[in-house]
Amino acid sequence: MLAMPAPNPRKLDARSFSPRDLRRLREDIAARYDELARRQQQVARYALDHPTEVALETVTVLAKRADVQPSSFVRFAQTFGYSGFS
């Protein structure tokens, strides 16, 4: 499991950005991890540990593997400024 750094003082404001590259997205997830709801933290850990699967699998498959509801992945994506998860 990845160790998460201290939280970033930024508020969770999905309108402020939506990272367009994996490096920045990983940095933003790590920086904001402690501010996320418990299920979103679960999605974050899965996403950071399995980036290739997240890029290639369906939300249904990912949710089953991460042991969360598919809607958790959708809300997670929206938290980071994306319109949803596809």
Side-chain angles (χ1 to χ4, degrees), residues 13-73:
D13 183 0
R15 295 166 298 183
S16 63
F17 68 91
S18 58
R20 297 294 178 210
D21 64 77
L22 180 58
R23 180 194 56 78
R24 179 157 178 218
L25 178 59
R26 291 177 64 89
E27 291 171 357
D28 289 340
I29 292 170
R32 298 169 67 187
Y33 180 83
D34 289 337
E35 299 173 20
L36 299 172
R38 186 172 59 91
R39 288 289 182 212
Q40 288 187 346
Q41 287 180 346
Q42 195 171 342
V43 171
R45 285 190 302 271
Y46 189 86
L48 291 172
D49 290 343
H50 307 282
T52 302
E53 289 180 28
V54 172
L56 300 175
E57 290 290 354
T58 66
V59 70
T60 304
V61 169
L62 294 171
K64 183 179 253 185
R65 290 179 182 171
D67 195 28
V68 297
Q69 294 295 316
S71 59
S72 295
F73 272 90

